[in-house]
Structure formats: structure tokens, C-alpha cells
Amino acid sequence: MNLAVIQMVSQDDVQTNLRLARRMLERAAQGGARLAVLPENFAAMGRRDLAAIGRAEALGEGPILPWLKRAARDLSLWIVAGTLPLPPDDDADGKPHACSLLIDDQGERVARYDKLHLFDVDVADNRGRYRESDDFAHGQRVVVADTPVGRLGLTVCYDLRFPELFGALREAGAELISVPAAFTAVTGAAHWQVLTRARAIETQCYVLAAGQGGEHPGQRLTFGHSAIIDPWGQVLAEQDQGEGALLAPRDAAEQANIRQRMPVQQHRRIFSSDVPRPIVVE
């Protein structure tokens, strides 16, 4: 049951990004992948018209969702669609969420996760100040869903710094966790690899960390180093910079053995009351 993560260097032109993403997804499918994870902001980086993009998609007037569904059908591939700037399902004019969609191999939406933790920080890079909450609303729900390669928990980028979210996903039965991301070069060099491995070790899940890796509009630099990490914390595949499709198998029997030999889930004694109740998509 091959897993795939896609690394990109997305720009501000949607059609160019979609053509690149299609090529990477084709590589993943040719390599035997059943599930592929696209990075955060895969369809556009550096755009200031996020609300308009999201509204058009929600009204069926945008190019991204039809492209995504067609790619899943054509390639017989389950796809985690990094993030899209989508408004709430019940309000096309609402403030958009940084939304990660899970699409099945028939092109149907299985799950939607709206990013819980927004990146409102100061970073010592060319940009200096990041305020995602200026453009996006916070998500409210923890989401897991069944896929052909195991039960998948969905997260996005900055979520990686909040282990209580990952613990909630594991408690809800997650066996794999997707982390589409666009980590800055500065924060990525300091923390990306240790955090992705830590989250895999803590949850005993496969972590599918699909990043942006290069230079984007506005001289924004992202760290890359997309990776597939197994439940023991071993890096099965990794790419430092540039575009690529990484593949690795899921060994369900070995994952079960790890969890049996070290039953950390049964040993947990600290619980947070403010973690949202998981939404399990059957």
C-alpha cells in the first residue's frame, strides 16, 4: 500500500501550479501510490485575492476543485489536497478557511479539515511578519477518515507544533497523519525535521509531510524536506528542495507490532479538555 507526498515550489499562477501538480501526481500513481498528499497552498502562493478564489470554488466557478476531482478519477488515486482557501460550507461569502480536502479515487469529497492553528508569528526572514488570521478563519474540528491505506488524520503546517491535536487524532484511531505545509526556511531549518519525527514517534503513526521547497513570490523561501516517516520515527523518503514525488510503503503489520510492544496510548495519563471532539468520517 504505497503512500506518496508531493513537494512543490508553487507560484502565484494557478494553472501553472495545477499542471505541475498533475505531473507529480502522475509520478505517484505510476509508482503504485494509493494515497498522495499535496503541499499547503499547492494551487497558489503569494496571492492576495484568497477570499475571491475561495468564493469562486465554492460557487462552482473556479478551476481548482474540478481539476482535483478529475485528477483523482483519472489516476485512481486518493488525494489530500494540501490547502485551498474555501469559505464555510454553509456560507459562500464567509471568511475563508485554510482547508485541506480528502478526495477519493472516484473524485468524491470524503472529508474536509479547516486548519485549527493559524500562523500569526514573527520570523527573522525576508518577510518578517506572518498573520494568517488576517486572511483566514480558525477551524473548529479534528478530522479523521478511513482510506484504502488506513485511517487518516488531517492537519496543516503550523498544527505540527501542537502535540495535543496529534494525540486527539491517534485517540480517534489515526494510523496515518497528513501534514501539508509551507514552513519558512528559517523555522523549517530549526524545527521541521525534529517535529515531524516527534509527531510520528508520539502517535505511532505514519506522518506524510508534504512541503513547499524553494522560492515563491515576494522572495518568500520555504524549507522543503518533504518526508514520509514511519511509526518508529524512521525517515523512509525525503527531498530537500525543488519539486518531487516521494513514495514509501505502509507496513501495517509492523505498525501493529510497534503499538503492541510499546502501548503508549494505553499509558497516557494527561488529557486536555480544550481539544475539539474528533469528527470521524466512516
Side-chain angles (χ1 to χ4, degrees):
M1 297 185 291
N2 276 352
L3 313 170
V5 300
I6 307 300
Q7 182 162 290
M8 296 177 63
V9 189
S10 297
Q11 304 298 309
D12 56 9
D13 183 78
V14 171
Q15 291 298 336
T16 298
N17 293 329
L18 295 183
R19 285 193 293 271
L20 170 60
R22 175 67 184 233
R23 290 200 300 271
M24 296 299 103
L25 291 171
E26 288 173 353
R27 290 186 193 177
Q30 290 164 4
R34 295 294 309 281
L35 172 75
V37 181
L38 290 164
E40 187 175 25
N41 300 325
F42 74 95
M45 285 278 285
R47 295 282 290 263
R48 299 305 305 166
D49 55 346
L50 296 175
I53 291 174
R55 189 177 302 111
E57 294 296 330
L59 295 173
E61 300 169 356
I64 304 171
L65 289 176
W67 170 90
L68 179 63
K69 295 176 179 181
R70 184 169 56 252
R73 289 194 303 268
D74 290 350
L75 302 174
S76 298
L77 189 64
W78 285 61
I79 300 173
V80 177
T83 58
L84 298 171
L86 293 179
D89 280 336
D90 58 356
D91 181 7
D93 293 321
K95 191 174 186 180
H97 293 272
C99 173
S100 188
L101 298 178
L102 174 63
I103 307 297
D104 71 13
D105 56 4
Q106 301 303 307
E108 298 298 323
R109 190 179 100 175
V110 173
R112 167 179 172 153
Y113 167 70
D114 296 334
K115 187 177 182 180
L116 282 168
H117 303 98
L118 299 181
F119 192 58
D120 288 358
V121 304
D122 299 319
V123 177
D125 64 5
N126 291 332
R127 181 166 172 176
R129 185 177 187 271
Y130 296 81
R131 294 294 183 271
E132 276 193 325
S133 63
D134 289 348
D135 298 311
F136 296 107
H138 289 270
Q140 301 294 326
R141 299 184 297 178
V142 177
V143 179
V144 298
D146 289 324
T147 78
V149 293
R151 179 164 281 194
L152 175 72
L154 287 92
T155 75
V156 174
C157 199
Y158 191 48
D159 286 333
L160 190 62
R161 296 181 181 274
F162 300 89
E164 62 272 19
L165 169 57
F166 286 74
L169 292 170
R170 169 66 199 274
E171 190 172 359
E175 298 163 312
L176 313 99
I177 300 175
S178 56
V179 189
F183 254 59
T184 72
V186 171
T187 58
H191 301 142
W192 169 256
Q193 289 157 310
V194 68
L195 286 173
T196 52
R197 293 189 67 202
R199 298 295 89 88
I201 294 165
E202 291 166 352
T203 61
Q204 298 173 318
C205 287
Y206 284 84
V207 167
L208 311 178
Q212 296 279 354
E215 184 171 353
H216 311 275
Q219 296 183 309
R220 179 175 176 179
L221 300 177
T222 49
F223 183 64
H225 291 268
S226 297
I228 301 173
I229 303 165
D230 78 5
W232 196 243
Q234 298 182 92
V235 179
L236 303 180
E238 183 177 19
Q239 178 162 331
D240 55 0
Q241 289 276 286
E243 66 187 49
L246 306 178
L247 289 142
R250 178 192 172 208
D251 188 334
E254 178 58 18
Q255 183 172 21
N257 286 336
I258 289 170
R259 291 182 170 190
Q260 182 177 29
R261 295 194 306 267
M262 189 177 291
V264 295
Q265 190 67 11
Q266 286 72 37
H267 295 162
R268 292 177 65 207
R269 290 296 180 269
I270 300 174
F271 301 91
S272 174
S273 61
D274 61 356
V275 175
R277 182 179 178 85
I279 303 298
V280 179
V281 182
E282 300 292 353

